[in-house]
Amino acid sequence: MDSGKQGLTRDYVRELLGGRDPEEVAEQLLPHGGDAPRSFWPSASTDPSRVERLWKRLGATSNPALWDSWTQANAGAFAGNIENFIGTTKIPTGIAGPLRVNGLHAQGEYPIPLATSEAALVASYHRGICLLNAAGGCSAMVVYESVARAPAFLFDTIGDAGRFLVWVTEQLEALKRVAGTTTSHGELRDVAVTVEGNHVYLSLEFFTGDASGQNMVTIAAEAVCAFIDQESPVPIRAMYVEGNLSGDKKASAKAFTDTRGKKVTAEAVLPSALVEKFLHCSAQAMTEYWRVSAVGGVLSGTLGVQGHFANGLAAFYLATGQDVACVAESAVGVTRFELTEGGDLYASVTLPALMIGSVGGGTGLPSQRAALELLGLSGTGKARALAEVCCGTLLGGELSIIGALAAGEFTRAHQKLARKHS
Protein backbone atom coordinates (compact mmCIF):
# COMPACT_ATOMS: atom_id res chain seq x y z
CA MET A 1 0.00 0.00 0.00
CA ASP A 2 1.46 3.37 -0.99
CA SER A 3 1.90 6.11 1.61
CA GLY A 4 -0.92 8.24 0.17
CA LYS A 5 -3.36 5.35 0.46
CA GLN A 6 -2.18 4.64 3.98
CA GLY A 7 -2.96 8.23 4.87
CA LEU A 8 -6.50 7.99 3.49
CA THR A 9 -7.08 4.76 5.39
CA ARG A 10 -5.76 6.29 8.62
CA ASP A 11 -8.02 9.34 8.27
CA TYR A 12 -11.06 7.20 7.52
CA VAL A 13 -10.44 4.95 10.54
CA ARG A 14 -10.14 8.02 12.77
CA GLU A 15 -13.45 9.31 11.39
CA LEU A 16 -15.12 5.97 12.11
CA LEU A 17 -13.88 5.97 15.70
CA GLY A 18 -15.17 9.49 16.23
CA GLY A 19 -12.68 10.17 19.00
CA ARG A 20 -13.60 7.02 20.94
CA ASP A 21 -11.01 4.74 22.45
CA PRO A 22 -10.45 1.57 20.33
CA GLU A 23 -11.01 -0.59 23.41
CA GLU A 24 -14.40 1.06 23.96
CA VAL A 25 -15.35 0.36 20.37
CA ALA A 26 -14.21 -3.26 20.64
CA GLU A 27 -16.42 -3.68 23.71
CA GLN A 28 -19.36 -2.20 21.83
CA LEU A 29 -19.00 -4.78 19.07
CA LEU A 30 -19.16 -7.82 21.35
CA PRO A 31 -22.32 -10.00 21.34
CA HIS A 32 -24.91 -8.92 23.89
CA GLY A 33 -26.23 -11.40 26.40
CA GLY A 34 -29.71 -11.68 27.78
CA ASP A 35 -32.90 -12.79 26.11
CA ALA A 36 -32.98 -12.79 22.32
CA PRO A 37 -35.52 -10.46 20.69
CA ARG A 38 -38.96 -11.96 20.30
CA SER A 39 -39.26 -13.12 16.69
CA PHE A 40 -42.21 -12.48 14.41
CA TRP A 41 -44.54 -15.43 13.95
CA PRO A 42 -43.44 -17.33 10.83
CA SER A 43 -46.32 -17.63 8.40
CA ALA A 44 -47.06 -17.59 4.67
CA SER A 45 -50.58 -16.32 5.29
CA THR A 46 -51.64 -13.07 3.64
CA ASP A 47 -54.99 -12.91 5.41
CA PRO A 48 -55.75 -9.29 6.43
CA SER A 49 -56.39 -10.24 10.05
CA ARG A 50 -52.96 -11.86 10.21
CA VAL A 51 -51.42 -8.70 8.72
CA GLU A 52 -53.11 -6.50 11.33
CA ARG A 53 -51.75 -8.75 14.08
CA LEU A 54 -48.26 -8.36 12.67
CA TRP A 55 -48.60 -4.59 12.66
CA LYS A 56 -49.76 -4.72 16.28
CA ARG A 57 -46.74 -6.91 17.07
CA LEU A 58 -44.56 -4.18 15.50
CA GLY A 59 -46.02 -1.79 18.05
CA ALA A 60 -47.32 0.52 15.35
CA THR A 61 -50.51 1.43 13.58
CA SER A 62 -50.54 -0.08 10.11
CA ASN A 63 -48.97 2.37 7.69
CA PRO A 64 -51.21 3.14 4.69
CA ALA A 65 -48.14 3.60 2.50
CA LEU A 66 -47.58 -0.17 2.86
CA TRP A 67 -50.98 -1.50 3.95
CA ASP A 68 -53.36 0.58 1.79
CA SER A 69 -56.95 -0.21 0.84
CA TRP A 70 -56.03 -1.73 -2.54
CA THR A 71 -53.50 -4.06 -0.91
CA GLN A 72 -56.03 -5.06 1.72
CA ALA A 73 -58.62 -5.85 -0.93
CA ASN A 74 -56.13 -7.89 -2.98
CA ALA A 75 -54.18 -9.52 -0.15
CA GLY A 76 -55.10 -13.02 -1.30
CA ALA A 77 -53.30 -12.48 -4.61
CA PHE A 78 -49.94 -12.44 -2.82
CA ALA A 79 -50.35 -15.83 -1.14
CA GLY A 80 -47.52 -18.13 -2.14
CA ASN A 81 -45.15 -15.28 -2.95
CA ILE A 82 -44.34 -13.83 0.49
CA GLU A 83 -43.98 -14.66 4.18
CA ASN A 84 -44.82 -12.41 7.14
CA PHE A 85 -46.78 -10.18 4.77
CA ILE A 86 -47.31 -6.58 5.96
CA GLY A 87 -48.16 -4.78 2.71
CA THR A 88 -46.85 -3.77 -0.67
CA THR A 89 -44.05 -1.47 -1.80
CA LYS A 90 -45.00 0.82 -4.65
CA ILE A 91 -42.40 1.46 -7.34
CA PRO A 92 -43.29 3.90 -10.12
CA THR A 93 -43.80 2.23 -13.48
CA GLY A 94 -43.21 4.06 -16.74
CA ILE A 95 -43.84 3.08 -20.33
CA ALA A 96 -41.31 3.19 -23.16
CA GLY A 97 -41.81 2.56 -26.84
CA PRO A 98 -43.71 0.81 -28.19
CA LEU A 99 -40.81 -1.26 -29.52
CA ARG A 100 -41.08 -2.90 -32.93
CA VAL A 101 -39.61 -6.40 -32.77
CA ASN A 102 -39.00 -8.63 -35.78
CA GLY A 103 -38.28 -11.87 -33.97
CA LEU A 104 -38.64 -15.60 -34.29
CA HIS A 105 -41.38 -15.45 -31.67
CA ALA A 106 -42.04 -11.75 -31.02
CA GLN A 107 -43.61 -10.06 -34.02
CA GLY A 108 -45.16 -6.65 -33.64
CA GLU A 109 -45.06 -3.52 -31.53
CA TYR A 110 -44.75 -3.84 -27.77
CA PRO A 111 -45.23 -1.13 -25.11
CA ILE A 112 -42.37 -1.61 -22.63
CA PRO A 113 -43.27 -1.32 -18.91
CA LEU A 114 -40.30 -0.37 -16.72
CA ALA A 115 -40.57 -0.17 -12.92
CA THR A 116 -37.82 1.96 -11.43
CA SER A 117 -37.06 4.79 -9.03
CA GLU A 118 -34.20 6.04 -11.20
CA ALA A 119 -35.18 9.19 -13.06
CA ALA A 120 -33.95 9.45 -16.67
CA LEU A 121 -34.02 5.65 -17.10
CA VAL A 122 -37.36 5.35 -18.90
CA ALA A 123 -36.56 8.41 -21.00
CA SER A 124 -33.23 6.91 -22.04
CA TYR A 125 -34.68 3.56 -23.04
CA HIS A 126 -37.52 5.30 -24.84
CA ARG A 127 -35.05 7.33 -26.89
CA GLY A 128 -33.13 4.24 -27.96
CA ILE A 129 -36.34 2.42 -28.81
CA CYS A 130 -37.53 5.33 -30.96
CA LEU A 131 -34.26 5.13 -32.90
CA LEU A 132 -34.74 1.40 -33.44
CA ASN A 133 -38.31 1.96 -34.61
CA ALA A 134 -37.23 4.62 -37.09
CA ALA A 135 -34.88 2.04 -38.64
CA GLY A 136 -37.63 -0.58 -38.92
CA GLY A 137 -37.30 -2.13 -35.47
CA CYS A 138 -34.86 -4.67 -34.12
CA SER A 139 -34.41 -8.30 -35.14
CA ALA A 140 -34.26 -10.76 -32.24
CA MET A 141 -34.16 -14.46 -31.62
CA VAL A 142 -33.85 -17.00 -28.83
CA VAL A 143 -30.99 -19.31 -29.79
CA TYR A 144 -30.88 -21.77 -26.86
CA GLU A 145 -32.54 -22.57 -23.53
CA SER A 146 -31.20 -24.30 -20.43
CA VAL A 147 -31.49 -23.91 -16.65
CA ALA A 148 -29.04 -25.85 -14.48
CA ARG A 149 -29.06 -27.17 -10.97
CA ALA A 150 -25.73 -28.65 -9.87
CA PRO A 151 -25.81 -31.20 -7.05
CA ALA A 152 -22.50 -32.03 -5.37
CA PHE A 153 -21.45 -35.49 -4.13
CA LEU A 154 -18.60 -36.10 -1.69
CA PHE A 155 -16.59 -39.34 -1.55
CA ASP A 156 -13.77 -40.67 0.60
CA THR A 157 -11.25 -40.91 -2.24
CA ILE A 158 -10.80 -39.93 -5.88
CA GLY A 159 -11.03 -43.65 -6.63
CA ASP A 160 -14.58 -43.68 -5.29
CA ALA A 161 -15.31 -40.50 -7.23
CA GLY A 162 -14.06 -42.16 -10.40
CA ARG A 163 -16.18 -45.28 -9.86
CA PHE A 164 -19.21 -43.05 -9.27
CA LEU A 165 -18.42 -41.12 -12.45
CA VAL A 166 -18.41 -44.32 -14.52
CA TRP A 167 -21.76 -45.37 -13.05
CA VAL A 168 -23.59 -42.03 -13.18
CA THR A 169 -22.71 -41.33 -16.81
CA GLU A 170 -24.67 -44.47 -17.74
CA GLN A 171 -27.79 -43.30 -15.87
CA LEU A 172 -28.98 -40.42 -18.08
CA GLU A 173 -32.26 -42.03 -19.15
CA ALA A 174 -33.05 -43.11 -15.59
CA LEU A 175 -32.31 -39.61 -14.28
CA LYS A 176 -34.56 -38.13 -16.95
CA ARG A 177 -37.41 -40.40 -15.87
CA VAL A 178 -36.98 -39.49 -12.21
CA ALA A 179 -36.86 -35.76 -12.93
CA GLY A 180 -39.94 -36.09 -15.13
CA THR A 181 -42.02 -37.35 -12.20
CA THR A 182 -41.75 -33.94 -10.54
CA THR A 183 -42.95 -31.67 -13.37
CA SER A 184 -45.17 -31.76 -16.43
CA HIS A 185 -43.56 -28.61 -17.85
CA GLY A 186 -39.83 -29.20 -17.42
CA GLU A 187 -37.48 -31.76 -18.90
CA LEU A 188 -34.00 -32.93 -17.94
CA ARG A 189 -32.06 -32.83 -21.19
CA ASP A 190 -28.45 -33.49 -20.27
CA VAL A 191 -26.03 -34.08 -17.42
CA ALA A 192 -22.48 -32.72 -17.39
CA VAL A 193 -19.92 -33.87 -14.85
CA THR A 194 -17.16 -31.91 -13.08
CA VAL A 195 -14.68 -33.75 -10.84
CA GLU A 196 -12.59 -31.92 -8.25
CA GLY A 197 -10.56 -34.37 -6.17
CA ASN A 198 -13.01 -36.55 -4.30
CA HIS A 199 -15.93 -34.20 -5.11
CA VAL A 200 -18.24 -34.75 -8.08
CA TYR A 201 -20.60 -32.05 -9.38
CA LEU A 202 -23.46 -32.97 -11.71
CA SER A 203 -24.73 -30.12 -13.86
CA LEU A 204 -28.35 -31.08 -14.52
CA GLU A 205 -29.45 -29.14 -17.59
CA PHE A 206 -33.22 -28.59 -17.79
CA PHE A 207 -35.69 -27.15 -20.27
CA THR A 208 -38.26 -25.27 -18.19
CA GLY A 209 -40.93 -24.28 -20.73
CA ASP A 210 -42.55 -20.90 -20.13
CA ALA A 211 -41.34 -20.62 -16.53
CA SER A 212 -38.08 -19.08 -15.43
CA GLY A 213 -37.77 -22.38 -13.60
CA GLN A 214 -35.53 -22.07 -10.52
CA ASN A 215 -37.98 -23.84 -8.21
CA MET A 216 -38.85 -26.38 -10.88
CA VAL A 217 -35.25 -27.50 -11.35
CA THR A 218 -34.60 -27.55 -7.60
CA ILE A 219 -37.47 -29.94 -6.96
CA ALA A 220 -36.43 -32.14 -9.88
CA ALA A 221 -32.80 -32.13 -8.73
CA GLU A 222 -33.88 -33.20 -5.23
CA ALA A 223 -35.64 -36.22 -6.74
CA VAL A 224 -32.56 -37.04 -8.82
CA CYS A 225 -30.37 -36.86 -5.72
CA ALA A 226 -32.69 -39.19 -3.81
CA PHE A 227 -32.53 -41.71 -6.68
CA ILE A 228 -28.72 -41.50 -6.83
CA ASP A 229 -28.42 -41.89 -3.06
CA GLN A 230 -30.52 -45.04 -3.20
CA GLU A 231 -29.02 -46.61 -6.32
CA SER A 232 -25.35 -45.59 -6.32
CA PRO A 233 -23.00 -48.60 -6.08
CA VAL A 234 -20.41 -46.31 -4.48
CA PRO A 235 -20.84 -45.07 -0.89
CA ILE A 236 -21.62 -41.32 -0.87
CA ARG A 237 -20.20 -39.52 2.17
CA ALA A 238 -22.42 -36.45 1.71
CA MET A 239 -24.46 -34.75 -0.99
CA TYR A 240 -26.03 -31.35 -1.56
CA VAL A 241 -28.78 -30.41 -3.99
CA GLU A 242 -26.72 -27.40 -5.17
CA GLY A 243 -22.94 -27.27 -5.14
CA ASN A 244 -22.74 -23.64 -6.32
CA LEU A 245 -21.66 -24.64 -9.82
CA SER A 246 -24.86 -23.66 -11.63
CA GLY A 247 -24.24 -19.90 -11.52
CA ASP A 248 -27.61 -19.29 -9.87
CA LYS A 249 -28.01 -15.57 -9.03
CA LYS A 250 -24.39 -14.60 -9.51
CA ALA A 251 -22.25 -13.32 -12.35
CA SER A 252 -20.07 -16.18 -13.59
CA ALA A 253 -17.92 -17.19 -16.52
CA LYS A 254 -20.21 -20.21 -16.92
CA ALA A 255 -23.26 -17.99 -17.44
CA PHE A 256 -21.28 -15.91 -19.94
CA THR A 257 -19.84 -18.72 -22.05
CA ASP A 258 -22.73 -21.18 -21.74
CA THR A 259 -26.48 -20.65 -21.36
CA ARG A 260 -28.50 -20.02 -18.23
CA GLY A 261 -32.18 -19.44 -18.88
CA LYS A 262 -32.51 -18.24 -22.45
CA LYS A 263 -29.69 -17.19 -24.73
CA VAL A 264 -31.06 -14.33 -26.82
CA THR A 265 -29.58 -11.97 -29.37
CA ALA A 266 -30.94 -8.81 -31.02
CA GLU A 267 -29.56 -6.53 -33.72
CA ALA A 268 -30.30 -3.50 -35.88
CA VAL A 269 -28.62 -1.62 -38.71
CA LEU A 270 -29.10 2.09 -38.09
CA PRO A 271 -28.60 4.63 -40.88
CA SER A 272 -26.05 7.27 -39.90
CA ALA A 273 -28.57 10.08 -40.46
CA LEU A 274 -30.95 8.52 -37.92
CA VAL A 275 -28.15 8.07 -35.39
CA GLU A 276 -27.31 11.78 -35.66
CA LYS A 277 -30.98 12.77 -35.47
CA PHE A 278 -31.80 10.76 -32.34
CA LEU A 279 -28.45 10.58 -30.53
CA HIS A 280 -26.78 13.83 -31.67
CA CYS A 281 -23.54 12.12 -32.66
CA SER A 282 -22.19 10.19 -35.63
CA ALA A 283 -22.18 6.45 -36.16
CA GLN A 284 -18.38 6.65 -36.12
CA ALA A 285 -18.40 8.38 -32.74
CA MET A 286 -20.63 5.59 -31.41
CA THR A 287 -18.19 2.89 -32.51
CA GLU A 288 -15.20 4.82 -31.18
CA TYR A 289 -16.77 5.17 -27.76
CA TRP A 290 -17.81 1.49 -27.82
CA ARG A 291 -14.16 0.48 -28.39
CA VAL A 292 -12.98 2.66 -25.51
CA SER A 293 -15.65 1.24 -23.21
CA ALA A 294 -14.85 -2.33 -24.28
CA VAL A 295 -11.20 -1.86 -23.30
CA GLY A 296 -12.27 -0.21 -20.05
CA GLY A 297 -14.47 -3.19 -19.27
CA VAL A 298 -11.58 -5.59 -19.89
CA LEU A 299 -9.29 -3.53 -17.66
CA SER A 300 -11.86 -3.60 -14.86
CA GLY A 301 -12.35 -7.37 -15.17
CA THR A 302 -16.00 -7.12 -16.24
CA LEU A 303 -17.63 -10.33 -17.49
CA GLY A 304 -18.79 -9.36 -20.96
CA VAL A 305 -18.91 -5.96 -22.62
CA GLN A 306 -21.95 -3.75 -22.09
CA GLY A 307 -23.06 -0.38 -20.83
CA HIS A 308 -25.90 -0.92 -18.37
CA PHE A 309 -27.84 -4.14 -18.90
CA ALA A 310 -28.69 -4.26 -15.20
CA ASN A 311 -30.68 -1.01 -15.42
CA GLY A 312 -33.15 -2.20 -18.01
CA LEU A 313 -33.25 -5.76 -16.71
CA ALA A 314 -34.09 -4.73 -13.14
CA ALA A 315 -36.83 -2.37 -14.32
CA PHE A 316 -38.27 -4.90 -16.78
CA TYR A 317 -38.06 -7.70 -14.22
CA LEU A 318 -39.80 -5.68 -11.51
CA ALA A 319 -42.58 -4.66 -13.88
CA THR A 320 -43.23 -8.17 -15.24
CA GLY A 321 -42.79 -10.31 -12.12
CA GLN A 322 -39.40 -11.88 -12.76
CA ASP A 323 -36.98 -12.83 -10.00
CA VAL A 324 -35.04 -9.57 -9.70
CA ALA A 325 -32.07 -11.28 -8.04
CA CYS A 326 -31.43 -13.03 -11.35
CA VAL A 327 -30.17 -9.72 -12.73
CA ALA A 328 -26.85 -10.88 -11.24
CA GLU A 329 -26.41 -13.52 -13.95
CA SER A 330 -28.70 -12.09 -16.62
CA ALA A 331 -26.70 -8.85 -16.91
CA VAL A 332 -23.67 -10.79 -18.15
CA GLY A 333 -23.49 -10.31 -21.91
CA VAL A 334 -22.14 -8.43 -24.91
CA THR A 335 -23.00 -5.23 -26.74
CA ARG A 336 -21.23 -4.76 -30.09
CA PHE A 337 -21.17 -1.71 -32.37
CA GLU A 338 -19.53 -1.64 -35.80
CA LEU A 339 -19.52 0.64 -38.83
CA THR A 340 -20.93 -0.94 -41.97
CA GLU A 341 -19.22 -0.45 -45.33
CA GLY A 342 -21.76 2.27 -46.06
CA GLY A 343 -20.98 4.16 -42.84
CA ASP A 344 -24.11 3.10 -40.94
CA LEU A 345 -24.16 1.65 -37.43
CA TYR A 346 -24.49 -2.07 -36.82
CA ALA A 347 -25.59 -2.68 -33.23
CA SER A 348 -26.20 -5.96 -31.44
CA VAL A 349 -26.85 -7.25 -27.93
CA THR A 350 -26.39 -10.87 -26.83
CA LEU A 351 -27.69 -12.15 -23.49
CA PRO A 352 -26.48 -15.70 -22.75
CA ALA A 353 -28.17 -15.95 -19.35
CA LEU A 354 -31.59 -14.32 -19.53
CA MET A 355 -33.71 -15.78 -16.72
CA ILE A 356 -37.25 -14.91 -17.72
CA GLY A 357 -40.71 -16.49 -17.80
CA SER A 358 -44.29 -15.69 -18.71
CA VAL A 359 -45.77 -18.02 -16.06
CA GLY A 360 -44.92 -18.85 -12.46
CA GLY A 361 -43.07 -16.88 -9.81
CA GLY A 362 -44.26 -13.29 -9.58
CA THR A 363 -45.85 -13.18 -13.04
CA GLY A 364 -49.29 -13.81 -11.53
CA LEU A 365 -49.19 -10.89 -9.09
CA PRO A 366 -51.77 -8.23 -9.95
CA SER A 367 -49.50 -5.41 -11.13
CA GLN A 368 -47.06 -7.73 -12.84
CA ARG A 369 -49.78 -9.67 -14.63
CA ALA A 370 -51.22 -6.35 -15.80
CA ALA A 371 -47.84 -5.37 -17.26
CA LEU A 372 -47.51 -8.71 -19.06
CA GLU A 373 -51.05 -8.32 -20.40
CA LEU A 374 -50.15 -4.85 -21.62
CA LEU A 375 -47.34 -6.50 -23.57
CA GLY A 376 -49.70 -9.23 -24.75
CA LEU A 377 -47.23 -11.77 -23.34
CA SER A 378 -48.91 -13.21 -20.26
CA GLY A 379 -49.33 -16.94 -19.86
CA THR A 380 -48.42 -20.12 -21.65
CA GLY A 381 -46.52 -20.02 -24.92
CA LYS A 382 -45.22 -16.47 -24.49
CA ALA A 383 -41.84 -16.83 -22.75
CA ARG A 384 -39.69 -16.90 -25.87
CA ALA A 385 -41.39 -13.81 -27.27
CA LEU A 386 -40.98 -12.10 -23.90
CA ALA A 387 -37.25 -12.89 -23.96
CA GLU A 388 -36.87 -11.41 -27.45
CA VAL A 389 -38.73 -8.24 -26.42
CA CYS A 390 -36.55 -7.91 -23.32
CA CYS A 391 -33.38 -8.28 -25.41
CA GLY A 392 -34.58 -5.66 -27.89
CA THR A 393 -35.34 -3.31 -25.01
CA LEU A 394 -31.79 -3.63 -23.74
CA LEU A 395 -30.48 -2.91 -27.23
CA GLY A 396 -32.41 0.36 -27.13
CA GLY A 397 -30.93 1.16 -23.74
CA GLU A 398 -27.39 0.49 -24.95
CA LEU A 399 -27.84 2.76 -27.96
CA SER A 400 -29.14 5.57 -25.79
CA ILE A 401 -26.52 5.49 -23.03
CA ILE A 402 -23.60 5.08 -25.43
CA GLY A 403 -25.03 7.86 -27.58
CA ALA A 404 -25.27 10.13 -24.54
CA LEU A 405 -21.68 9.42 -23.56
CA ALA A 406 -20.36 9.77 -27.10
CA ALA A 407 -22.21 13.08 -27.58
CA GLY A 408 -21.20 14.46 -24.19
CA GLU A 409 -24.82 14.63 -23.00
CA PHE A 410 -24.77 12.00 -20.27
CA THR A 411 -24.33 14.34 -17.31
CA ARG A 412 -26.72 16.95 -18.73
CA ALA A 413 -29.52 14.39 -19.11
CA HIS A 414 -29.20 13.33 -15.49
CA GLN A 415 -29.07 16.92 -14.28
CA LYS A 416 -32.23 17.66 -16.20
CA LEU A 417 -34.28 14.57 -15.29
CA ALA A 418 -32.74 13.02 -12.17
CA ARG A 419 -33.09 15.93 -9.74
CA LYS A 420 -36.12 16.77 -7.70
CA HIS A 421 -37.84 19.87 -9.01
CA SER A 422 -38.65 22.51 -6.44
Side-chain angles (χ1 to χ4, degrees):
M1 184 184 296
D2 61 60
S3 59
K5 187 68 174 177
Q6 286 177 335
L8 287 172
T9 303
R10 178 201 61 209
D11 293 344
Y12 185 67
V13 169
R14 288 175 176 174
E15 180 187 343
L16 287 176
L17 290 175
R20 293 173 294 174
D21 183 86
E23 294 300 324
E24 177 189 351
V25 174
E27 180 72 22
Q28 179 180 329
L29 298 177
L30 290 174
H32 284 66
D35 295 335
R38 181 186 168 198
S39 298
F40 299 116
W41 312 301
S43 174
S45 171
T46 60
D47 183 84
S49 61
R50 153 77 182 176
V51 176
E52 292 292 351
R53 288 198 301 273
L54 265 176
W55 276 104
K56 186 177 293 185
R57 169 71 178 80
L58 285 165
T61 304
S62 57
N63 191 319
L66 289 166
W67 186 232
D68 59 284
S69 58
W70 180 90
T71 302
Q72 293 174 39
N74 291 275
F78 300 96
N81 289 92
I82 191 70
E83 299 78 44
N84 289 354
F85 180 61
I86 63 166
T88 54
T89 299
K90 288 75 175 172
I91 299 173
T93 300
I95 198 77
L99 169 66
R100 180 174 295 169
V101 183
N102 311 302
L104 286 180
H105 304 279
Q107 280 283 331
E109 299 176 354
Y110 299 87
I112 307 300
L114 298 170
T116 180
S117 58
E118 182 182 350
L121 185 71
V122 175
S124 179
Y125 277 77
H126 181 68
R127 182 174 76 145
I129 287 170
C130 288
L131 170 56
L132 288 171
N133 291 341
C138 67
S139 302
M141 61 180 181
V142 173
V143 297
Y144 196 66
E145 297 174 66
S146 176
V147 179
R149 186 58 72 211
F153 301 85
L154 283 60
F155 301 91
D156 289 329
T157 67
I158 59 172
D160 286 349
R163 289 167 54 213
F164 176 79
L165 175 63
V166 171
W167 174 78
V168 80
T169 54
E170 298 295 329
Q171 304 303 312
L172 179 58
E173 294 306 316
L175 299 183
K176 285 184 176 181
R177 286 195 299 272
V178 170
T181 64
T182 68
T183 174
S184 58
H185 302 286
E187 176 190 355
L188 176 61
R189 289 188 166 176
D190 200 5
V191 180
V193 183
T194 299
V195 178
E196 189 281 313
N198 59 351
H199 294 176
V200 177
Y201 300 81
L202 299 184
S203 185
L204 307 177
E205 305 287 344
F206 291 88
F207 170 72
T208 60
D210 287 299
S212 184
Q214 294 98 314
N215 291 336
M216 182 192 300
V217 302
T218 299
I219 293 168
E222 184 72 34
V224 166
C225 286
F227 170 82
I228 289 174
D229 188 43
Q230 181 177 348
E231 301 294 331
S232 173
V234 186
I236 300 170
R237 181 157 56 87
M239 66 180 182
Y240 308 95
V241 73
E242 174 56 64
N244 206 26
L245 186 73
S246 68
D248 190 3
K249 296 182 181 176
K250 55 189 70 68
S252 68
K254 179 175 171 58
F256 181 46
T257 59
D258 203 346
T259 298
R260 179 162 174 78
K262 291 175 172 58
K263 184 171 186 176
V264 199
T265 189
E267 69 170 11
V269 177
L270 305 159
S272 58
L274 288 180
V275 173
E276 293 185 11
K277 176 181 177 181
F278 284 89
L279 302 181
H280 314 138
C281 65
S282 67
Q284 182 176 352
M286 294 283 286
T287 60
E288 287 178 351
Y289 178 80
W290 175 81
R291 281 195 296 271
V292 170
S293 68
V295 173
V298 171
L299 293 174
S300 71
T302 300
L303 287 170
V305 176
Q306 42 91 11
H308 65 156
F309 285 174
N311 258 336
L313 279 170
F316 194 84
Y317 277 14
L318 282 168
T320 61
Q322 312 303 318
D323 188 336
V324 184
C326 289
V327 168
E329 69 249 52
S330 297
V332 172
V334 173
T335 295
R336 180 160 54 90
F337 288 177
E338 294 179 358
L339 277 180
T340 68
E341 291 184 0
D344 297 327
L345 179 66
Y346 173 83
S348 71
V349 156
T350 300
L351 306 171
L354 187 63
M355 293 294 293
I356 196 166
S358 59
V359 300
T363 63
L365 297 176
S367 299
Q368 288 72 16
R369 185 175 62 248
L372 286 169
E373 289 172 351
L374 185 66
L375 280 159
L377 297 175
S378 176
T380 305
K382 302 298 177 62
R384 289 173 176 169
L386 185 64
E388 291 174 355
V389 170
C390 182
C391 191
T393 300
L394 295 197
L395 176 58
E398 293 294 279
L399 286 165
S400 186
I401 193 171
I402 290 174
L405 287 160
E409 297 179 345
F410 181 73
T411 304
R412 191 184 319 148
H414 281 74
Q415 287 176 326
K416 179 179 179 181
L417 295 174
R419 290 187 170 179
K420 297 286 186 182
H421 297 290
S422 58

